[in-house]
């Protein structure tokens, strides 16, 4: 859905650009022309957001094992640059109008265009923000906030048109203020994208959700680290379990917790859980992003291959109690075999 919204945004912004530039040059209003250039920047920014969203949806591969999520973040930075250019252009138009002020034609056209622009941008802002939050899309939410900025800019343009009849420089002054406002908002919009590129945490709200789920499972959480990578959220947990649990029992508890986290935290795409009391780690990619599940223990390595591949390396099936060993056979999980002496499930050792 977010791709359809982005395509619609490109079309709508192009129509608004043509309408504003035509109305601005027809009426001689630097303010409307400034708004036209702003909408022109919107066309490119929406197009960049669309490209970023498309690329970010590609599945992970050997080159990008954590997925392409940051391409959406990169598109956010490009949008920031385009917004700054639009703001500088608006300020330049205002400066030229200050130097050579001209009479603004008070036809109904500029007012109609700006009112239409404000209404359309408000509708688009609500659509982008709603579906951006629903689908956890940084690009779409940022573009939605940008559209909301356009609403305020259009209302400011209307105010400028109304005052110009009483003061000839009012149109230029409002154009200058809009240009400054665009630049200010562009830096604020770019901050979130920059934070994601710098692996900022997912935020207190997401981390509290994770802590709440761990607490409900009655598991001791030793440490928690999260990362925001575009639309995806990564989490690394260190937990403590009773030391008398077997590795198999500890792993089952870890897998249960991991499933609870993936189901309970919508934005969470990757979870790595280290069990400090048993000194091994489990990790998980949400299906469609990697599907990989693995665990490691010091001194020996146990791994569970991706469900998609159904393959695994050679190794041995070992009894953790008496040390009984049996050669591992592909396609036969060690946990399905039992020690003939201790009658407990064997564990995989490479």
């Amino acid at each position: 859905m977010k791709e359809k919204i982005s395509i619609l945004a490109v079309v709508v912004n192009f129509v608004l650009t043509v309408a504003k530039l035509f109305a601005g040059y027809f009426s001689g209003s630097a303010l409307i022309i400034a708004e036209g250039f702003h909408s022109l920047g919107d066309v490119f920014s929406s197009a960049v957001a669309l490209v970023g969203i498309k690329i970010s949806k590609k599945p992970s591969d050997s080159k990008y094992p954590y997925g392409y999520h940051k391409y959406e973040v990169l598109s956010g930075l490009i949008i920031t640059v385009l917004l700054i250019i639009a703001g500088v252009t608006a300020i330049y138009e205002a400066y030229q109008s200050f130097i050579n002020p001209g009479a603004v034609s008070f036809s109904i056209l500029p007012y109609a265009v700006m009112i239409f622009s404000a209404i359309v941008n408000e509708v688009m802002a609500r659509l982008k923000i709603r579906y951006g939050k629903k689908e956890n899309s940084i690009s779409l939410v940022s573009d939605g906030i940008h559209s909301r900025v356009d609403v305020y800019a259009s209302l400011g343009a209307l105010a400028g048109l109304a005052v110009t009849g009483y003061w000839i420089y009012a149109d230029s002054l409002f154009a200058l203020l809009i240009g400054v406002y665009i630049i200010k908002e562009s830096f604020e919009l770019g901050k979130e994208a920059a934070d994601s590129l710098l692996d900022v945490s997912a935020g207190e709200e997401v981390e509290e959700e994770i802590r709440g789920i761990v607490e409900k499972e009655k598991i001791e959480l030793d440490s928690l680290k999260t990362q925001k990578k575009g639309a995806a959220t990564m989490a690394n947990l260190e937990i403590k379990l009773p030391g008398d649990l077997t590795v198999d029992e500890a792993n089952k508890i870890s897998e249960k917790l991991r499933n609870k986290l993936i189901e309970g935290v919508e934005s969470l795409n990757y979870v790595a859980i280290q069990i400090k009391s048993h000194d091994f780690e489990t990790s998980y990619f949400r299906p469609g992003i990697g599907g990989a599940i693995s665990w490691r223990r010091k001194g020996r390595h146990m791994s569970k291959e991706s469900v998609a591949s159904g393959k695994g390396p050679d190794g041995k099936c070992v009894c953790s109690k008496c040390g009984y060993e049996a050669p591992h056979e592909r396609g036969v999980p060690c946990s399905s075999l039992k020690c003939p002496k201790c009658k407990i499930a064997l564990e995989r050792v490479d």
Side-chain angles (χ1 to χ4, degrees):
M1 187 63 184
K2 61 183 180 181
E3 288 185 40
K4 294 180 180 179
I5 297 295
S6 294
I7 293 172
L8 178 62
V10 173
V11 175
V12 169
N13 284 326
F14 179 77
V15 172
L16 291 178
T17 297
V18 173
K20 288 178 182 179
L21 290 177
F22 176 78
Y25 283 111
F26 180 79
S27 64
S29 171
L31 185 55
I32 304 299
I33 293 174
E35 271 294 288
F37 280 111
H38 185 190
S39 292
L40 180 61
D42 295 346
V43 175
F44 289 103
S45 64
S46 294
V48 170
L50 176 61
V51 173
I53 288 172
K54 281 184 171 294
I55 296 178
S56 68
K57 292 178 70 176
K58 293 176 63 177
S60 58
D61 51 35
S62 58
K63 187 176 182 180
Y64 293 93
Y66 289 94
Y68 290 75
H69 308 292
K70 286 193 176 182
Y71 272 90
E72 189 173 350
V73 179
L74 182 61
S75 71
L77 287 180
I78 296 174
I79 290 172
T80 299
V81 174
L82 292 174
L83 284 173
I84 293 174
I85 293 173
V88 171
T89 301
I91 292 173
Y92 176 77
E93 288 291 331
Y95 171 72
Q96 292 295 321
S97 182
F98 268 119
I99 296 176
N100 300 301
V104 177
S105 174
F106 291 94
S107 66
I108 193 65
L109 181 60
Y111 290 96
V113 167
M114 299 315 299
I115 292 173
F116 175 73
S117 175
I119 294 173
V120 170
N121 279 319
E122 179 60 26
V123 172
M124 291 303 301
R126 295 191 180 194
L127 281 174
K128 292 174 186 177
I129 293 173
R130 176 187 174 186
Y131 284 99
K133 289 182 177 179
K134 184 178 180 180
E135 301 188 28
N136 198 28
S137 171
I138 292 178
S139 292
L140 202 56
V141 171
S142 297
D143 207 22
I145 296 173
H146 184 193
S147 293
R148 184 60 53 73
V149 170
D150 294 345
V151 175
Y152 299 143
S154 296
L155 295 176
L158 284 171
L161 288 172
V163 178
T164 300
Y166 302 97
W167 185 40
I168 194 172
Y169 293 107
D171 180 75
S172 301
L173 178 60
F174 275 90
L176 175 64
L177 293 176
I178 287 177
V180 173
Y181 184 63
I182 293 171
I183 293 176
K184 173 182 174 293
E185 289 298 318
S186 68
F187 280 108
E188 292 184 3
L189 290 174
K191 183 180 181 300
E192 184 175 2
D195 284 344
S196 291
L197 287 176
L198 296 173
D199 291 334
V200 70
S201 72
E204 190 61 30
E205 183 178 347
V206 172
E207 292 185 355
E208 280 301 317
E209 286 186 68
I210 294 174
R211 291 191 185 96
I213 293 173
V214 175
E215 186 177 345
K216 284 183 180 179
E217 294 299 311
K218 298 180 180 180
I219 296 174
E220 182 181 351
L221 180 63
D222 190 67
S223 72
L224 169 63
K225 294 179 181 179
T226 60
Q227 291 180 338
K228 193 172 183 181
K229 296 180 181 292
T233 297
M234 316 293 184
N236 292 271
L237 296 80
E238 289 186 0
I239 62 174
K240 291 181 178 179
L241 296 176
D244 57 351
L245 293 176
T246 66
V247 172
D248 189 52
E249 290 172 332
N251 178 67
K252 287 181 180 179
I253 294 174
S254 175
E255 283 194 14
K256 181 183 178 182
L257 174 61
R258 184 175 55 239
N259 291 333
K260 291 283 186 180
L261 290 171
I262 291 294
E263 292 172 4
V265 184
E266 186 177 356
S267 64
L268 197 57
N269 293 89
Y270 171 81
V271 180
I273 302 176
Q274 180 180 354
I275 306 178
K276 295 188 70 176
S277 51
H278 287 65
D279 208 14
F280 72 85
E281 178 182 318
T282 68
S283 61
Y284 173 86
F285 273 110
R286 185 186 292 274
I289 296 179
I293 306 174
S294 64
W295 60 84
R296 291 178 290 278
R297 184 174 183 179
K298 286 184 178 178
R300 55 185 178 174
H301 178 76
M302 297 171 285
S303 65
K304 182 177 179 183
E305 293 292 309
S306 171
V307 176
S309 67
K311 298 179 180 179
D314 296 329
K316 296 179 181 179
C317 298
V318 180
C319 175
S320 61
K321 189 173 181 180
C322 69
Y324 167 80
E325 295 182 359
H328 170 66
E329 297 182 12
R330 290 180 180 272
V332 181
C334 289
S335 58
S336 65
L337 304 177
K338 291 187 177 181
C339 174
K341 179 181 179 180
C342 304
K343 307 298 182 182
I344 63 174
L346 301 182
E347 298 174 0
R348 174 72 174 280
V349 177
D350 291 337

